[in-house]
Amino acid sequence: DKMIIFDKKIKMDIATRKISFVQRFLQLSNEESIRKLEKILYSEIKDKEHFSPMTMDEFNEMIDKSEYDHKNGNVIDANDLLKQIDEW
């Protein structure tokens, strides 16, 4: 599995970067890699008191929406996204 490295020359807006990151994150299967990313994320959350985990219902809704989007082709492969960005 190839890892996408974002070159500083590639200019992406924050929303696009988040989507691309999440797509790559969802493909991870190495628990240690996930643990490291979680540690970075939690260390970046400055005011942890305002952080509230989602409920199981919210989590299940998110999964349902993701599955619906995938089933209906409302997704883009990270490599295709990078190709589109190159055309901007």
Side-chain angles (χ1 to χ4, degrees):
D1 205 17
K2 295 181 181 178
M3 176 66 105
I4 296 175
I5 308 282
F6 293 106
D7 186 19
K8 291 181 181 180
K9 294 177 186 174
I10 297 176
K11 295 183 181 181
M12 295 193 299
D13 64 51
I14 191 76
T16 304
R17 289 172 56 201
K18 285 179 176 180
I19 291 168
S20 182
F21 179 85
V22 169
Q23 285 178 331
R24 297 302 298 168
F25 178 81
L26 291 173
Q27 293 177 356
L28 288 176
S29 58
N30 181 299
E31 188 172 344
E32 182 61 27
S33 296
I34 293 170
R35 187 175 297 120
K36 287 177 184 178
L37 290 169
E38 286 174 331
K39 185 177 179 179
I40 292 168
L41 174 65
Y42 296 133
S43 71
E44 289 297 313
I45 298 172
K46 293 183 172 121
D47 190 356
K48 293 183 180 179
E49 293 177 5
H50 290 99
F51 176 75
S52 60
M54 67 177 74
T55 66
M56 284 305 292
D57 286 339
E58 290 170 328
F59 181 67
N60 287 325
E61 277 182 38
M62 183 182 285
I63 291 172
D64 291 344
K65 182 178 181 328
S66 297
E67 289 176 342
Y68 176 84
D69 285 342
H70 184 265
K71 181 180 175 183
N72 291 292
N74 192 22
V75 295
I76 185 166
D77 179 78
N79 291 322
D80 292 338
L81 178 63
L82 289 174
K83 288 176 189 173
Q84 288 182 11
I85 291 168
D86 286 340
E87 296 172 5
W88 293 351

